[in-house]
Amino acid sequence: MRIAVAAAMSMAMAAPAGAITYHVDPAHARVRAKVGFFGLGSKTALFPKVEGRVALSDRDAQGLTLDVSIDAQALEAGDPLTRSRLRGADFFDVDRYRHVIFHGSSMTRTGPHSAQVAGTISARGVTRPATLAVDFSRDFAAMTGREPVHIAASTRIDRRDFGVTAYPLIVGRQVTIAIDADLMPGRE
């Protein structure tokens, strides 16, 4: 609960002066988490309820504040049994930990419209460092904060780092997270 409250407060804070701000369009944002299953295939969970904001510094190429909140209670999966297990105490434990939070605090540009965003992921009451590889649909030089921007981002985590250790012989340790979202012009 503290993480969700801290994230909500962080998202409500005003962007620094001179920042180019965007908010995540909840109608056009999806997060997918994919994990190996029996070493032969994979299982994917979809998180359709995502909200957040991004503030890019117009003065500092590395300046960034990114806060994204994912509603784990809205988790969807390929079948009811998998959905129930993923929402349960062995995995996301959504009754105790409703949100998964990503907070990005710095950005290293890797191309005209790509970057590495360093920050943290908080899930199940645990916070760990994480880096997102992000592709923006626009060149950084063309971003003014007045036009929509599409992002595709990904990272990989070890589920054990967040206390998710159930079914170690069936479910893989590495989870690939993919974010697909439209960012809309700033909203304070």
Side-chain angles (χ1 to χ4, degrees):
M1 184 66 156
R2 288 183 304 156
I3 293 171
V5 171
M9 287 177 16
S10 177
M11 282 188 234
M13 292 172 48
I20 299 169
T21 61
Y22 292 93
H23 69 274
V24 173
D25 179 358
H28 297 99
R30 299 288 178 268
V31 174
R32 287 182 172 73
K34 184 177 179 179
V35 66
F37 191 69
F38 277 115
L40 301 170
S42 63
K43 291 277 188 174
T44 300
L46 175 67
F47 299 86
K49 290 189 177 181
V50 181
E51 58 185 41
R53 67 184 290 282
V54 180
L56 300 165
S57 172
D58 64 351
R59 296 184 192 112
D60 176 7
Q62 293 184 336
L64 167 105
T65 302
L66 169 65
D67 289 296
V68 176
S69 177
I70 301 163
D71 185 346
Q73 286 185 333
L75 177 150
E76 297 174 3
D79 61 84
L81 179 60
T82 300
R83 182 177 59 242
S84 175
R85 284 187 177 155
L86 289 175
R87 289 180 180 175
D90 285 340
F91 290 93
F92 285 95
D93 198 2
V94 300
D95 290 335
R96 290 182 52 203
Y97 306 104
R98 180 173 183 151
H99 294 94
V100 175
I101 307 293
F102 180 81
H103 172 74
S105 54
S106 69
M107 176 174 69
T108 303
R109 295 182 184 178
T110 57
H113 49 81
S114 63
Q116 297 283 320
V117 175
T120 58
I121 293 178
S122 300
R124 292 178 48 99
V126 177
T127 300
R128 295 283 186 254
T131 300
L132 289 177
V134 184
D135 287 317
F136 294 81
S137 64
R138 292 185 172 271
D139 188 308
F140 290 112
M143 293 172 63
T144 65
R146 293 186 299 269
E147 68 291 309
V149 175
H150 182 82
I151 63 164
S154 64
T155 192
R156 196 168 197 184
I157 61 168
D158 186 325
R159 68 186 182 101
R160 297 172 304 170
D161 291 344
F162 297 90
V164 182
T165 58
Y167 306 104
L169 300 176
I170 299 170
V171 179
R173 296 184 310 212
Q174 297 297 311
V175 180
T176 301
I177 301 168
I179 302 167
D180 187 59
D182 286 344
L183 303 179
M184 303 307 289
R187 173 179 79 185
E188 295 301 322

